[in-house]
Amino acid sequence: MSLRDGCILVTGGAGYVGSHALVELLEAGYSVVVLDNLSNSTFGSVTRVQEMTGKSIPTYNCDLCDKKGVEDIFSKHKISGVIHFASLKAVGMSVEIPLIYYRQNLIGTINLLDVMKEHGVYNLIFSSSATVYGDPKYLPYDEKHPTGGCTNPYGRTKHFIECILRDLYATDKVCPLSNYAVFVPQQTFVFTAKTPCHYLDSGSLLSIITDLCIVDSMSSAPAINNPSN
Ligand SMILES: O=c1ccn([C@@H]2O[C@H](COP(=O)(O)OP(=O)(O)O[C@H]3O[C@H](CO)[C@@H](O)[C@H](O)[C@H]3O)[C@@H](O)[C@H]2O)c(=O)[nH]1
């Protein structure tokens, strides 16, 4: 199934970055479905996106820790790819309530990956964070900077998820990724110019995007379908 034959599931799509991604995806001609537990947002943002674009967006108030709820969404919609923004993301709070961060971010992501596999969906863009780099060995960070050594639980959840995704990519007996998969670890600064749509159009099957400048990328919307940008 080509990506455009189905919908892109945007987890955390009601959030700040996720809702901007919706606009880009819709304007690039993708159909989208939103999953969000509304822990840090409302569906008002999605309503505004629908008003702006004139396109309708199925929305689900669903927590990724509710695996059955996630399965229901995959059963209702022909999902061809996922952009995974849903995440608790406050560094300070993650120090105060680490278990909640580990449960929401790690178990939620593992549930998502399980359900994707059950439904034969292997196209994923993961929204990571510059916190995976830990204390800088040099500045500015670039894609070659080592990850790990994170200084807080939030960063560790993102780092662990990157590790999980690398393992899945490496063991394609477990997770049958196509040979033409493009694995893009730590695309820290590329994302400013290259939107999620670029990655989808380039056939990325498992991409990790570290740190996001997607909101800025709104001004470079013409780059969406131009892989040379
Ligand atoms: O378990 C959870 C936790 C959060 N959310 C939702 O996820 C969205 C996250 O968006 P927001 O809180 O506005 O954060 P952003 O600034 O958009 O965070 C983006 O940028 C962060 C890095 O700065 C990444 O960690 C995040 O994954 C990415 O969404 C919100 O709608 C939340 O309601 C869920 O659906 N499930």
Side-chain angles (χ1 to χ4, degrees), residues 3 30 180-182 184 196-205 207 227:
L3 279 163
Y30 289 97
Y180 62 83
V182 180
V184 191
C197 310
H198 166 84
Y199 288 99
L200 294 171
D201 285 340
S202 69
S204 304
L205 290 188
S207 300

Side-chain angles (χ1 to χ4, degrees), residues 5 145 222:
D5 291 338
H145 192 287

Side-chain angles (χ1 to χ4, degrees), residues 206-219:
L206 186 61
S207 300
I208 295 179
I209 309 299
T210 297
D211 210 7
L212 291 167
C213 304
I214 189 172
V215 178
D216 296 346
S217 79
M218 294 295 290
S219 60

Side-chain angles (χ1 to χ4, degrees), residues 11-227:
T11 76
Y16 179 58
V17 177
S19 56
H20 283 80
L22 295 178
V23 176
E24 302 232 10
L25 288 164
L26 290 168
E27 289 184 348
Y30 289 97
S31 301
V32 297
V33 175
V34 167
L35 172 160
D36 201 298
N37 73 357
L38 304 184
S39 58
N40 198 35
S41 57
T42 70
F43 281 141
S45 53
V46 180
T47 304
R48 282 194 294 281
V49 171
Q50 292 182 113
E51 288 164 0
M52 281 167 64
T53 60
K55 295 182 177 157
S56 72
I57 304 175
T59 50
Y60 292 90
N61 180 350
C62 176
D63 192 308
L64 287 170
C65 291
D66 169 16
K67 193 171 173 188
K68 171 79 172 57
V70 180
E71 278 164 352
D72 287 348
I73 297 171
F74 274 77
S75 298
K76 278 192 197 129
H77 298 273
K78 197 164 88 172
I79 305 229
S80 54
V82 177
I83 304 186
H84 181 27
F85 291 110
S87 172
L88 295 176
K89 55 149 207 185
V91 168
M93 199 175 290
S94 79
V95 176
E96 288 167 25
I97 49 170
L99 279 183
I100 292 178
Y101 267 70
Y102 286 122
R103 184 178 63 232
Q104 286 302 128
N105 291 358
L106 292 181
I107 296 180
T109 300
I110 289 169
N111 282 344
L112 174 67
L113 292 168
D114 262 346
V115 177
M116 286 176 67
K117 187 172 181 200
E118 281 162 24
H119 288 261
V121 179
Y122 297 105
N123 305 310
L124 172 70
I125 294 177
F126 169 58
S127 164
S128 192
S129 161
T131 53
V132 300
Y133 295 129
D135 282 330
K137 302 221 178 316
Y138 56 85
L139 287 170
Y141 290 129
D142 61 21
E143 304 88 67
K144 295 188 180 72
H145 192 287
T147 54
C150 307
T151 57
N152 56 76
Y154 162 66
R156 270 187 280 281
T157 66
K158 294 290 186 181
H159 176 58
F160 292 157
I161 293 167
E162 290 195 1
C163 293
I164 290 168
L165 295 178
R166 276 193 198 94
D167 288 342
L168 282 181
Y169 178 72
T171 58
D172 61 355
K173 287 189 191 112
V174 178
C175 183
L177 295 170
S178 161
N179 285 338
Y180 62 83
V182 180
F183 178 58
V184 191
Q186 305 148 35
Q187 289 281 354
T188 308
F189 302 112
V190 178
F191 207 44
T192 308
K194 295 185 177 179
T195 68
C197 310
H198 166 84
Y199 288 99
L200 294 171
D201 285 340
S202 69
S204 304
L205 290 188
L206 186 61
S207 300
I208 295 179
I209 309 299
T210 297
D211 210 7
L212 291 167
C213 304
I214 189 172
V215 178
D216 296 346
S217 79
M218 294 295 290
S219 60
S220 62
I224 289 173
N225 282 313
N226 183 357

